[in-house]
Amino acid sequence: MIEVEGLSRRYGETMAVDSLSFTAEDGLVTGFVGPNGAGKSTTLRILLGLERPDGGSACIDGHPYGALDRPMSRVGALLDAGWVHPGRSARAHLRWLSQVGRIDADRVDTVLTRVGLDGVADRRVGGYSLGMRQRLGLAGALLGEPAHLVLDEPLNGLDPDGVHWMRRFIRHYAECGNAVLVSSHLLSEMSLTADRLVVIGRGSLIGQYDTDEFVRSMSATSIRVRVDRPEVLRDAACTRGWAVEATGAGALALSDPAGGLDTPSVGRVCFAAGLRVDELTEVRGSLEDAFLAATGDVLDYRSPETGHAVDAPPAAVRTEAAG
Ligand SMILES: Nc1ncnc2c1ncn2[C@@H]1O[C@H](COP(=O)(O)OP(=O)(O)OP(=O)(O)O)[C@@H](O)[C@H]1O
């Protein structure tokens, strides 16, 4: 199990990580998500003993990285796929890593095969694509047959086949009883990969959620309905306090600001009003919508089309840590 407790790290004026607490449990893939500059990489660097926190702790199976006996067999890490010496082959790089980590050199061939690089193992890494370097980074992480994995943006640079492969690999690793902590900006991908989400903004926890619960609770659900007399439905919906929006093709989008509106409820209202229903569909927001809803007030950087300044003043961060 990976446990982060009250972790803080400041760089000058910037509070990169601010009293952050979360867990990544054995047997689960935990997605670690937040906007640019949220503090994900800093947290992972502290977890892996590459930086010291100003306060709090980050532990793997109850110990900070520096106190682990044979750390490469406790936790495998993929932090930056770009750091391998370009003149080295993948095999030479992994042999060097195995020597440093006092790991049996026989593991090198095993991990090369496991990540699908056995056919190109003697080529210089400088000629590798980013996707191949990600696979090599993962091979390095696996050298010590670690109990747990910590992966920073492992899907970067992978083609669709590579993304599919990485997703299955990550899921399988967790299903074997290991904790897998994965940071990613690809939230739609995380919804397919992660069991749990730890969402952070400006260094602070926004919440920990089951992935399904996160999408359900944070993304708006509306009911798209097409009837023969929309004005009758509009009146009936307004009477109940539901929000009504006209969408294309004569359909209405209904939602309840209090939440919980579903297709049977709308169907019953239509039936009671004697309406002919031509369409009745639940429309769910995507994980991206949910993410924006959760982190919208803690973005450090925004796209120009949102019209907000890049250095907009910080807003209060919600820190409800859902169970
Ligand atoms: N070595 C450093 N010196 C100064 N500031 C830093 C340093 N490392 C990180 N920061 C700052 O700390 C904050 C958190 O950065 P961090 O890289 O941890 O965020 P992140 O969530 O990983 O971002 P991204 O998704 O863009 O990689 C940012 O404001 C960043 O500029």
Side-chain angles (χ1 to χ4, degrees), residues 11 14 16 35-42 45 185:
Y11 297 108
T14 306
N36 288 130
K40 304 180 297 293
S41 299
T42 303
R45 284 199 305 270
H185 287 102

Side-chain angles (χ1 to χ4, degrees), residues 190-207:
M190 276 294 99
S191 72
L192 298 171
T193 311
D195 302 291
R196 307 261 306 147
L197 293 173
V198 172
V199 183
I200 67 167
R202 291 232 172 107
S204 295
L205 183 71
I206 289 173

Side-chain angles (χ1 to χ4, degrees), residues 32-58:
F32 189 38
V33 295
N36 288 130
K40 304 180 297 293
S41 299
T42 303
T43 303
L44 298 186
R45 284 199 305 270
I46 295 171
L47 179 63
L48 296 163
L50 298 171
E51 283 195 41
R52 283 181 181 279
D54 294 320
S57 62

Side-chain angles (χ1 to χ4, degrees), residues 25-263:
E25 287 172 28
D26 294 354
L28 297 180
V29 178
T30 301
F32 189 38
V33 295
N36 288 130
K40 304 180 297 293
S41 299
T42 303
T43 303
L44 298 186
R45 284 199 305 270
I46 295 171
L47 179 63
L48 296 163
L50 298 171
E51 283 195 41
R52 283 181 181 279
D54 294 320
S57 62
C59 290
I60 296 145
D61 292 336
H63 303 283
Y65 189 90
L68 290 174
D69 184 33
R70 298 178 61 82
M72 284 175 77
S73 66
R74 289 310 322 153
V75 60
L78 171 60
L79 282 195
D80 178 1
W83 67 273
V84 181
H85 190 293
R88 275 199 186 142
S89 70
R91 193 188 304 282
H93 170 69
L94 292 172
R95 281 207 181 121
W96 169 75
L97 262 188
S98 67
Q99 274 172 11
V100 173
R102 287 179 289 126
I103 292 162
D104 190 338
D106 289 352
R107 285 283 302 159
V108 169
D109 282 335
T110 306
V111 296
L112 280 167
T113 305
R114 187 126 185 238
V115 303
L117 288 179
D118 41 333
V120 292
D122 295 311
R123 269 174 41 188
R124 280 161 32 101
V125 173
Y128 275 21
S129 67
L130 180 54
M132 288 162 82
R133 287 207 298 273
Q134 290 284 36
R135 287 178 187 245
L136 176 57
L138 184 61
L142 296 174
L143 264 182
E145 293 184 79
H148 311 301
L149 285 179
V150 173
L151 310 174
D152 197 8
E153 303 279 356
L155 305 169
N156 270 2
L158 296 179
D159 59 18
D161 183 55
V163 168
H164 183 67
W165 173 84
M166 184 69 88
R167 184 199 308 152
R168 286 187 47 191
F169 180 91
I170 288 170
R171 287 232 48 85
H172 181 253
Y173 211 83
E175 279 158 14
C176 294
N178 311 299
V180 183
L181 179 62
V182 189
S183 86
S184 177
H185 287 102
L186 300 174
L187 293 159
S188 43
E189 184 53 44
M190 276 294 99
S191 72
L192 298 171
T193 311
D195 302 291
R196 307 261 306 147
L197 293 173
V198 172
V199 183
I200 67 167
R202 291 232 172 107
S204 295
L205 183 71
I206 289 173
Q208 298 189 63
Y209 313 87
D210 285 328
T211 305
D212 288 347
E213 176 209 340
F214 179 74
V215 176
R216 239 192 332 269
S217 66
M218 303 301 268
S219 63
T221 300
S222 65
I223 307 298
R224 184 181 150 89
V225 55
R226 235 163 12 97
V227 294
D228 54 345
R229 286 171 294 141
E231 65 288 352
V232 174
L233 177 58
R234 183 183 283 275
D235 288 347
C238 289
T239 307
R240 286 165 176 79
W242 298 345
V244 182
E245 207 182 306
T247 67
L252 297 177
L254 308 183
S255 57
D256 186 346
L261 190 60
D262 55 14
T263 49

